Amino acid sequence: MGTPEFAARVLESVIDNVVLVVTQPDKINGRNNKTDFSPVKKLAQENNLPLFQSSNIKLDYQKVIDANPDLILTCAYGQIIPEVLLKFPKFKCVNVHASLLPALRGGAPIHKAIIYGHKETGITLMHMAKKMDAGDILWQEAIPIDFTDTALTLHDKLIEVAIRMLKTHLPKIFTGKAIPKPQEHLKATYAFNISREEELIDWHQDALTVYNQIRGLYSWPLAYTRLEDKVLKIHSAEIVESNVSVKPGVILCPKQLIVKTKDKAIRILTLQPAGKKVMSAKDFINGNKIEANSILM
């Protein structure tokens, strides 16, 4: 049971043992009015696997029961699994979660690990419970978060960890060698899905916070700022020193798009104006008249 690319890669790693694939309903793309299939659905169809899509798995779950799975494996499915399914399989329900639980429970653990400035994260294999990401831990593996990591690069690293862990540990569940360990619930932190408000850059924050926000939201949904009436999505940036005493958000150097923050400054490297393609800061500057002391909001 899963939906995005992360889940598709997990599915691929266990594909020979799958009796049913469950994913979210198709979406209509507002740009071209075409139907978008989830990465999990695409992989299931390519491999002729039985497929089930429910808009409300809490009520519509009989096809899962009929498939009679020995174990239900979930990864970024996107819906709350009903208790009847949690209790149904002989070997229970196992979830692949992209954090070191109880840290960063929720739907955006990869993004938030970078945004919050964490030094490490990892993969947790856990038994599912009624409460979100609160089940007993089976196995965990940590990896460092590099200072240049983005949500995209960290996502790809964690996929490889998850695949390796499933290959190593999943057989242990069927042989009774798994030893569940309750989470320390008082230490739980949360990584709820990214809101639109969290995408807007606040230049009054320190440079490290802004930098973490930019890389934590790359390559989706992207951090953004405004230059007059233009919305600019920021794809990459770096921290630079600045002792200039001006208001945060002021463009200190229009020829390089260096922007003042609370303490230092951010040099924007690549960006995407609304409705246009990604471009370098240099190309944006060449095509737009930017005055010194212009302000990003």
Side-chain angles (χ1 to χ4, degrees):
M1 300 179 74
T3 302
E5 181 63 26
F6 199 113
R9 292 288 305 279
V10 166
L11 168 61
E12 191 174 33
S13 72
V14 298
I15 206 162
D16 292 338
N17 300 297
V18 173
V19 296
L20 179 67
V21 174
V22 182
T23 190
Q24 290 274 51
D26 304 333
K27 293 184 178 180
I28 302 299
N29 191 317
R31 293 182 178 180
N32 51 31
N33 206 35
K34 291 184 178 180
T35 302
D36 286 341
F37 295 167
S38 75
V40 165
K41 178 175 180 175
K42 291 177 183 177
L43 182 62
Q45 290 181 325
E46 290 169 1
N47 290 272
N48 297 313
L49 295 173
L51 180 68
F52 176 50
Q53 294 173 273
S54 171
S55 59
N56 189 348
I57 198 68
K58 279 187 173 183
L59 301 176
D60 185 17
Y61 54 77
Q62 188 58 43
K63 285 189 177 181
V64 181
I65 298 292
D66 293 343
N68 195 29
D70 292 324
L71 178 146
I72 293 176
L73 183 65
T74 68
C75 179
Y77 173 53
Q79 292 190 47
I80 300 297
I81 310 299
E83 191 171 9
V84 64
L85 290 185
L86 296 181
K87 293 181 177 180
F88 179 77
K90 178 180 178 180
F91 295 100
K92 300 185 178 182
C93 296
V94 174
N95 183 48
V96 180
H97 187 74
S99 81
L100 299 173
L101 293 171
L104 301 180
R105 295 176 178 177
I110 299 176
H111 298 80
K112 295 294 177 72
I114 295 177
I115 291 170
Y116 295 161
H118 289 194
K119 302 300 182 184
E120 69 171 10
T121 187
I123 293 292
T124 300
L125 301 183
M126 55 174 281
H127 278 147
M128 295 190 68
K130 287 181 64 176
K131 192 174 180 180
M132 181 182 67
D133 298 328
D136 293 347
I137 294 171
L138 296 168
W139 297 278
Q140 290 184 315
E141 184 173 329
I143 62 170
I145 300 176
D146 295 334
F147 191 67
T148 55
D149 267 327
T150 65
L152 178 61
T153 62
L154 189 57
H155 169 276
D156 292 348
K157 291 178 181 179
L158 287 170
I159 284 176
E160 298 305 318
V161 175
I163 291 172
R164 182 172 66 249
M165 290 179 68
L166 287 170
K167 182 178 180 180
T168 301
H169 298 302
L170 206 54
K172 298 176 185 177
I173 293 175
F174 301 106
T175 58
K177 294 181 180 180
I179 303 175
K181 177 183 176 182
Q183 293 188 41
E184 297 183 67
H185 299 295
L186 294 178
K187 294 184 179 181
T189 59
Y190 294 89
F192 297 117
N193 290 337
I194 305 295
S195 67
R196 180 61 174 170
E197 291 74 20
E198 291 176 296
E199 298 169 26
L200 178 62
I201 296 172
D202 179 1
W203 297 102
H204 290 81
Q205 298 182 104
D206 61 80
L208 180 59
T209 299
V210 174
Y211 174 69
N212 287 344
Q213 178 187 11
I214 291 169
R215 65 195 185 102
L217 295 179
Y218 181 82
S219 62
W220 184 89
L222 296 170
Y224 76 96
T225 188
R226 293 188 180 93
L227 176 61
E228 298 176 348
D229 60 341
K230 296 184 178 72
V231 172
L232 307 177
K233 293 186 176 182
I234 311 302
H235 283 242
S236 63
E238 62 184 7
I239 298 173
V240 295
E241 295 294 331
S242 174
N243 295 319
V244 180
S245 181
V246 295
K247 181 180 178 181
V250 168
I251 298 176
L252 300 175
C253 180
K255 292 184 178 180
Q256 295 186 55
L257 276 190
I258 296 177
V259 187
K260 180 64 176 167
T261 65
K262 178 182 178 181
D263 52 358
K264 301 177 183 179
I266 291 288
R267 178 187 283 116
I268 297 172
L269 302 175
T270 55
L271 68 158
Q272 184 177 12
K276 296 185 179 181
K277 295 181 179 180
V278 183
M279 62 184 69
S280 67
K282 180 180 179 181
D283 288 342
F284 177 76
I285 292 164
N286 290 338
N288 294 269
K289 186 178 180 181
I290 301 176
E291 304 290 345
N293 296 321
S294 294
I295 297 179
L296 295 181
M297 303 295 289

